[in-house]
Amino acid sequence: MSLYFLTLLLLAAGVLATWRKPQYEEHIYWISWGAMTACLCLRFGQGTDYVTYHAIYETIPAAIDLSQGYICGFYPEIGWRVLSAAFKMFHAPFWIFTMVLGLAEMLLIHRYLRMYVRRRIMGLFLLCPVLYITYMISGMRQGLAICVFLGLVLPFYMEKQWVRYVIGTLFAASFHRVGYAWLVLPAAYYLPTGIMAGLTGLSAAVGLILQIGAVEQFFVTLIPVYHLKKFLLDGSVSWFALGERFLSFLVLGALYCWYRREKGAVDRKTELLLKAYMCGTCFYLLLGSSSYYASRYCVIFKVLEGAVLISLLQGGKWIQKYAAVFFFGLTLLMGYKNLNAMIQESVWYDASVVKVWNFPYVSVFQQERILDYIPYEEKLAELYEYNVEDQKLWMIEE
């Protein structure tokens, strides 16, 4: 059976076990954290973008140049290039790079869970589909940016240390530019939760207007920028993803309203995390006409959903139990869906044979096994040639 699927099931079993036997949570958490870390760090060739990032890694020069072209001139972002160059200075192969990267990400997640999540095993489970499978295994740059935000930058937001927050956000965004969206959080910090809910409705209305053909053409003509054209003209709506984001928001919102009425108030930490989470919902509803952009800008806030949910589940009333069951089932569904997407989008796998439950796991100790499934070296060479010219652009100064 696929190790990724087994890891998801292990986390689900851990949540059920600790719900009944909370005294064993510490042991179950570390077993689950260790299994996730080993699965992430020891993989080879796994994930939709693994070979793409391998090719980029090979094209990045070991010498770090401080010219304007190197800093600003080409893909990928400067942080990822400097990090790659630092490893290449020591002639580290790509699998060593991903191994160290995976361990660092899991340590950052542990720090986040230790600081903000009361039930850490449940926190791991809720992060598995949205972060671990989708971005840490596949979309490595964005996965690293999110982990840096969770483990290092989020405390600055919580403590209102804005200079450090902005510097930390820029550092995280140096690995993936989607991180610049975190710069909205200082404004969200000071807005009441009710105003944030109103902005969510406004985002939905504007998102619907942006799907009108005449409006799309107007903005493309007014601002003829590549990404705007791609967003408005080439994007497509994922109704499943839109429904999942919106339904999750409604259930969590209903739970929040009930908790506030029942307890009289919600603690400051949960309130701040909820407002940050709502920013992601706003982004998704606003950018919903392109699921590609909407998902990327939503997920960097959606990863906080688990911390908010777990905080609001303290008690055991009927609405809390129903909410827990809802998110438990939804997480299993999304985990299965995202694992299946990893197979479908990795076009070199035979999707008629390879399924979620038998998806092959290839470790760094048996790297040659990847050739049984994909022409890895051929694909690597093809992507290397595609990227190598981009990586030389830093040498060209006007």
Side-chain angles (χ1 to χ4, degrees), residues 5 54-55 113 144 163 168 179 218 253 293 305 308 312 325 333 348 353:
F5 192 47
H54 190 174
L113 293 173
L144 177 58
V163 174
F218 171 76
Y293 287 97
E305 183 177 71
V308 179
L312 297 176
V325 170
L333 174 64
W348 42 85
V353 176

Side-chain angles (χ1 to χ4, degrees), residues 30-186:
W30 282 112
I31 291 171
S32 302
W33 185 90
M36 290 178 73
T37 302
C39 192
L40 176 67
C41 294
L42 299 179
R43 79 195 191 284
F44 181 82
Q46 306 288 284
T48 55
D49 297 329
Y50 187 99
V51 66
T52 302
Y53 280 115
H54 190 174
I56 292 173
Y57 181 79
E58 297 299 334
T59 61
I60 291 175
I64 299 173
D65 189 284
L66 297 180
S67 64
Q68 181 180 354
Y70 186 88
I71 294 172
C72 307
F74 63 95
Y75 166 89
E77 288 81 348
I78 181 66
W80 187 264
R81 276 182 272 131
V82 170
L83 183 62
S84 301
F87 275 80
K88 293 192 71 173
M89 287 173 62
F90 296 97
H91 306 287
F94 184 66
W95 63 269
I96 290 289
F97 176 75
T98 57
M99 182 183 293
V100 175
L101 187 68
L103 178 59
E105 289 174 334
M106 290 302 299
L107 289 172
L108 288 168
I109 286 178
H110 168 69
R111 186 170 191 264
Y112 158 71
L113 293 173
R114 181 171 56 83
M115 295 177 71
Y116 300 112
V117 182
R118 297 179 185 179
R119 305 290 294 272
R120 288 185 290 174
I121 180 63
M122 189 173 183
L124 272 182
F125 175 62
L126 293 169
L127 283 175
C128 188
V130 68
L131 176 58
Y132 183 77
I133 293 172
T134 306
Y135 291 102
M136 292 170 67
I137 292 175
S138 294
M140 297 182 198
R141 289 185 302 121
Q142 189 163 343
L144 177 58
I146 293 173
C147 290
V148 168
F149 172 78
L150 291 176
L152 298 180
V153 184
L154 184 61
F156 300 141
Y157 162 73
M158 302 296 287
E159 299 303 324
K160 205 165 55 171
Q161 300 179 25
W162 299 129
V163 174
R164 293 183 178 183
Y165 179 79
V166 171
I167 293 172
T169 297
L170 295 177
F171 173 68
S174 74
F175 301 110
H176 198 292
R177 66 195 64 182
V178 73
Y180 291 122
W182 283 313
L183 292 174
V184 305
L185 285 189

Side-chain angles (χ1 to χ4, degrees), residues 234-300:
D234 298 337
S236 59
V237 180
S238 172
W239 294 108
F240 179 88
L242 182 62
E244 185 271 331
R245 304 298 193 274
F246 192 62
L247 185 58
S248 297
F249 171 73
L250 289 180
V251 173
L252 196 62
L255 181 62
Y256 166 80
C257 293
W258 173 87
Y259 189 95
R260 188 170 182 174
R261 186 175 65 251
E262 186 80 5
K263 305 292 184 181
V266 176
D267 64 273
R268 171 183 169 275
K269 180 183 73 174
T270 304
E271 199 84 44
L272 290 174
L273 291 172
L274 175 64
K275 288 193 286 186
Y277 163 75
M278 292 170 76
C279 288
T281 307
C282 288
F283 271 110
Y284 199 95
L285 295 175
L286 183 64
L287 305 175
S289 58
S290 172
S291 60
Y292 173 83
Y293 287 97
S295 294
R296 285 176 176 266
Y297 282 95
C298 173
V299 72
I300 64 174

Side-chain angles (χ1 to χ4, degrees), residues 217-239:
Q217 292 297 333
F218 171 76
F219 278 107
V220 168
T221 304
L222 184 66
I223 312 173
V225 178
Y226 169 77
H227 281 289
L228 186 63
K229 290 181 179 179
K230 188 173 178 62
F231 161 63
L232 291 174
L233 301 182
D234 298 337
S236 59
V237 180
S238 172
W239 294 108

